[in-house]
C-alpha cells in the first residue's frame, strides 16, 4: 500500500480521494478475495471448493487435522497441503494451537456469504437478480447501499436500451430474443418494484437515497411499458410476412434458416445462383447507385470543399434599439400628476385607489407593483418612465386595513395613501 503514490501525479495525495479511502478501509476484507482468486483457474476453483466445504459445517465449525484429511480424502495430499497453506497465509483459515483446531476467519465468512449469493444466481439473469437481492438485504436491515442502488439503476437502464434498440431494428428475431429476455428478468423487476416501494415509504432515508429510489422506479416503469410494445411490433411484422405459395413456408422461415447456415453454405448457394445468370437483388438496387455516386462525385466534393475558417472581422455598427414603451407605467405616471400630488395635499394624502384602479385586475396589479419603486435610487438613474416615476416626491403610508372598492374584478385593496414629500 506504500507504493500507491506511484500511480498518481506529483503533488496528488492518495488520501485525498474519498473513493480510495473507502477501499483502503475495507482492505482486510478485500485481501480475502485477493487470496482466493490469485493464480490459475484450476487453483482458484479448488481453493473455493475447500473453503466452501470448511464453511459448510454449521453445527461444528471447528476442524481437526484428521477431520480435514478425512473430508478431503479425494484430493491429492500435496495439493491439499498447498491449498491449506495458502488459506492460512491469507488469514482465511486460522489455527488455534491451544485446541489444535482450524476455524474460518471473519473475512472468510463474509467472502463465503457474498459468493453463496452470487453462485445461487448463476444460470439466471445473475446481475439483475444479485443487485436486487443486495438492495433488498440492505433495506431489510436498515442500511441501504447507495452504490448498490446505482448499479441496479444502471442495469435497468442498460436493459431498457437493449430492448429499445431491438424494437428500432425492425428485426423479428431480435425483437423475439429481447421479448424472451424481458420475460426472464420479469420476476426480478417485480421484486425490485416491491423493494423500491418499501424504500419510498421510509421517512428516515436521505435525499440522495430517495432520489435514487425514484429514479429506479421510473426505469422500472419504462421497461415494463415495453411489454405491450413487443406484442404490437410483432403483430405488425407478422402482417408484413410473405407466404411462399402453398408450401406453408414464410419469409421468416427462410430468413431463420439462412441465419443458421455457415458462411461456406451461403457462399455455395450464392455461387450457384450466379452460375445460372441470376443476379442477386442487392446488386441491382438503387443503393448500389448511391454508393457509386459517392465514390465518383461525393468524395471529390468533400476533398475540394473549402473548410477554412473566415478571417476575423469587426461586427457592423448597429443603431441603439428603440426603448420599448411601458404604456401602463406611463398611464400611472400621468395619473399621479393629474392628482396634483406634486403640490401639498396635506398629511392625509390621496388613497392609492385613485391612482392604481384600472379597467382590469391585471392592470391594477401592475400599477400597484410600480408604487414600490417610489423613492428607489437605483430605479431613478436613467431617463425612462420608470425613472421618472421613481423620482416623484411621493411616499406610501398606512396600509394596515383593507377596503372593498366598487370594481368588477378587484374585490379588495389596501387602504394605503400617497403622501407628498417636501422638496
Amino acid at each position: 500500500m506504500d507504493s500507491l503514490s506511484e500511480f498518481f501525479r506529483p503533488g496528488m495525495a492518495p488520501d485525498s480521494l474519498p473513493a480510495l479511502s473507502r477501499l483502503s478501509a475495507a482492505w482486510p476484507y478485500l485481501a480475502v478475495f485477493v487470496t482466493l482468486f490469485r493464480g490459475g483457474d484450476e487453483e482458484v476453483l479448488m481453493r473455493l471448493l475447500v473453503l466452501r466445504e470448511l464453511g459448510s459445517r454449521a453445527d461444528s465449525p471447528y476442524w481437526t487435522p484428521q477431520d480435514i484429511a478425512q473430508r478431503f480424502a479425494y484430493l491429492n495430499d500435496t495439493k491439499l497441503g498447498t491449498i491449506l497453506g495458502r488459506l492460512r497465509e491469507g488469514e482465511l483459515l486460522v489455527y488455534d494451537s491451544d485446541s489444535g483446531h482450524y476455524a474460518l476467519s471473519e473475512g472468510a465468512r463474509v467472502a463465503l456469504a457474498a459468493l453463496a449469493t452470487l453462485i445461487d444466481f448463476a444460470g439466471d439473469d445473475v446481475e439483475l437478480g444479485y443487485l436486487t437481492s443486495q438492495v433488498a438485504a440492505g433495506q431489510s436491515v436498515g442500511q441501504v447501499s447507495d452504490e448498490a442502488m446505482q448499479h441496479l439503476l444502471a442495469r435497468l437502464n442498460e436493459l431498457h436500451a437493449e430492448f429499445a434498440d431491438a424494437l428500432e431494428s425492425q428485426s423479428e428475431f431480435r425483437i423475439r430474443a429481447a421479448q424472451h429476455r424481458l420475460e426472464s428478468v420479469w420476476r426480478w423487476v417485480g421484486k425490485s418494484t416491491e423493494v423500491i416501494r418499501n424504500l419510498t415509504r421510509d421517512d428516515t432515508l436521505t435525499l440522495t437515497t430517495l432520489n435514487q429510489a425514484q429514479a429506479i422506479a421510473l426505469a422500472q416503469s419504462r421497461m415494463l411499458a415495453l411489454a405491450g410494445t413487443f406484442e404490437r411490433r410483432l403483430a405488425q411484422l407478422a402482417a408484413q410476412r410473405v407466404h411462399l405459395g402453398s408450401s406453408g413456408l414464410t419469409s421468416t422461415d427462410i430468413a431463420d434458416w439462412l441465419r443458421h447456415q455457415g458462411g461456406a453454405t451461403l457462399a455455395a448457394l450464392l455461387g450457384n445462383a450466379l452460375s445460372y445468370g441470376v443476379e442477386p437483388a442487392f446488386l441491382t438496387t438503387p443503393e448500389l447507385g448511391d454508393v457509386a455516386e459517392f465514390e465518383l462525385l461525393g468524395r471529390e466534393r468533400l476533398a475540394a470543399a473549402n473548410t477554412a475558417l473566415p478571417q476575423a472581422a469587426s461586427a457592423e455598427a448597429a443603431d441603439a434599439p428603440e426603448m420599448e414603451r411601458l404604456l401602463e407605467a406611463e398611464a400611472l405616471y400621468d395619473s399621479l400628476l393629474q392628482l396634483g400630488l406634486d403640490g401639498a395635499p396635506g398629511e392625509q394624502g390621496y388613497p392609492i385607489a385613485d391612482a392604481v384602479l384600472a379597467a382590469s385586475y391585471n392592470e391594477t396589479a401592475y400599477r400597484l407593483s410600480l408604487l414600490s419603486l417610489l423613492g428607489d435610487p437605483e430605479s431613478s438613474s436613467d431617463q425612462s418612465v420608470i425613472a421618472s416615476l421613481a423620482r416623484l416626491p411621493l411616499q406610501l403610508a398606512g396600509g394596515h386595513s383593507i377596503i372593498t372598492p366598487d370594481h368588477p374584478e378587484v374585490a379588495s385593496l389596501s387602504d394605503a395613501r400617497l403622501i407628498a414629500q417636501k422638496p
Side-chain angles (χ1 to χ4, degrees):
M1 302 295 284
D2 297 335
S3 60
L4 279 177
S5 57
E6 300 177 358
F7 292 87
F8 295 86
R9 295 179 181 274
M12 185 66 185
D15 297 338
S16 62
L17 295 178
L20 183 58
S21 299
R22 291 193 63 186
L23 291 174
S24 300
W27 180 251
Y29 294 101
L30 298 178
V32 174
F33 291 97
V34 174
T35 301
L36 285 175
F37 295 101
R38 177 177 293 173
D41 296 345
E42 296 80 5
E43 296 175 349
V44 171
L45 284 175
M46 298 310 300
R47 213 173 290 147
L48 290 174
L49 172 65
V50 172
L51 188 65
R52 293 188 70 207
E53 288 290 327
L54 293 176
S56 63
R57 203 166 68 175
D59 54 343
S60 180
Y62 298 102
W63 295 79
T64 64
Q66 293 77 15
D67 293 338
I68 296 177
Q70 183 178 1
R71 185 63 174 263
F72 299 102
Y74 55 87
L75 293 181
N76 181 280
D77 294 338
T78 303
K79 296 294 184 181
L80 177 60
T82 302
I83 294 174
L84 294 176
R86 176 61 64 86
L87 294 179
R88 289 186 60 181
E89 291 175 3
E91 297 182 355
L92 280 76
L93 189 62
V94 180
Y95 179 72
D96 188 357
S97 58
D98 295 335
S99 61
H101 291 167
Y102 286 96
L104 297 186
S105 65
E106 179 184 353
R109 290 289 181 188
V110 173
L112 284 177
L115 291 172
T117 306
L118 183 63
I119 294 173
D120 289 341
F121 284 101
D124 203 340
D125 191 86
V126 56
E127 187 174 12
L128 186 60
Y130 181 77
L131 294 175
T132 303
S133 68
Q134 295 301 302
V135 176
Q139 186 268 334
S140 62
V141 298
Q143 189 174 359
V144 182
S145 172
D146 292 340
E147 191 171 355
M149 295 187 66
Q150 290 175 1
H151 293 318
L152 177 58
L153 176 60
R155 184 53 184 159
L156 290 172
N157 289 332
E158 289 174 355
L159 288 173
H160 181 271
E162 292 176 9
F163 297 153
D165 290 342
L167 289 171
E168 292 179 0
S169 68
Q170 297 292 334
S171 170
E172 182 177 355
F173 303 103
R174 287 191 60 184
I175 294 176
R176 290 191 180 279
Q179 185 184 33
H180 178 72
R181 182 70 182 282
L182 178 60
E183 293 174 354
S184 67
V185 302
W186 188 274
R187 67 188 183 98
W188 295 120
V189 176
K191 292 291 184 181
S192 61
T193 301
E194 297 177 6
V195 174
I196 297 303
R197 185 182 295 113
N198 295 331
L199 277 176
T200 53
R201 294 172 182 170
D202 190 356
D203 298 334
T204 62
L205 290 181
T206 63
L207 181 59
T208 302
T209 305
L210 182 60
N211 291 337
Q212 289 181 348
Q214 293 174 345
I216 291 174
L218 179 60
Q220 292 169 342
S221 301
R222 291 170 54 210
M223 191 165 63
L224 293 178
L226 293 177
T229 307
F230 282 128
E231 296 295 340
R232 291 193 298 271
R233 191 64 55 85
L234 289 174
Q236 295 173 358
L237 294 175
Q240 301 172 3
R241 191 176 299 158
V242 177
H243 293 267
L244 304 180
S246 59
S247 63
L249 298 176
T250 64
S251 55
T252 301
D253 299 327
I254 301 301
D256 183 55
W257 182 81
L258 290 173
R259 290 175 67 249
H260 290 85
Q261 303 304 312
T265 303
L266 295 177
L269 292 174
L270 183 61
N272 295 334
L274 292 175
S275 64
Y276 288 100
V278 179
E279 295 184 358
F282 63 82
L283 295 180
T284 58
T285 53
E287 283 77 6
L288 185 60
D290 294 338
V291 174
E293 180 182 2
F294 173 77
E295 294 295 335
L296 297 176
L297 301 176
R299 192 182 299 277
E300 298 298 328
R301 292 185 186 131
L302 291 176
N306 184 11
T307 58
L309 295 175
Q311 297 295 328
S314 302
E316 298 181 359
D319 297 334
E322 183 180 356
M323 184 177 298
E324 182 181 1
R325 294 188 61 187
L326 303 176
L327 300 180
E328 289 299 326
E330 294 176 359
L332 177 62
Y333 180 74
D334 295 339
S335 298
L336 295 178
L337 291 180
Q338 291 175 4
L339 288 176
L341 294 179
D342 53 345
E347 296 181 357
Q348 297 297 325
Y350 294 98
I352 61 172
D354 296 343
V356 301
L357 281 178
S360 66
Y361 169 81
N362 293 336
E363 296 174 3
T364 302
Y366 177 68
R367 290 188 178 191
L368 185 62
S369 66
L370 290 177
L371 293 182
S372 63
L373 301 177
L374 291 174
D376 185 4
E378 295 183 1
S379 303
S380 59
S381 58
D382 53 37
Q383 302 300 320
S384 65
V385 64
I386 298 296
S388 301
L389 183 65
R391 286 194 293 266
L392 287 176
L394 300 173
Q395 182 180 5
L396 286 172
H400 304 294
S401 302
I402 300 296
I403 62 174
T404 56
D406 185 13
H407 194 278
E409 297 186 13
V410 180
S412 59
L413 187 66
S414 171
D415 67 343
R417 307 182 71 85
L418 291 165
I419 307 298
Q421 302 296 307
K422 293 182 181 180

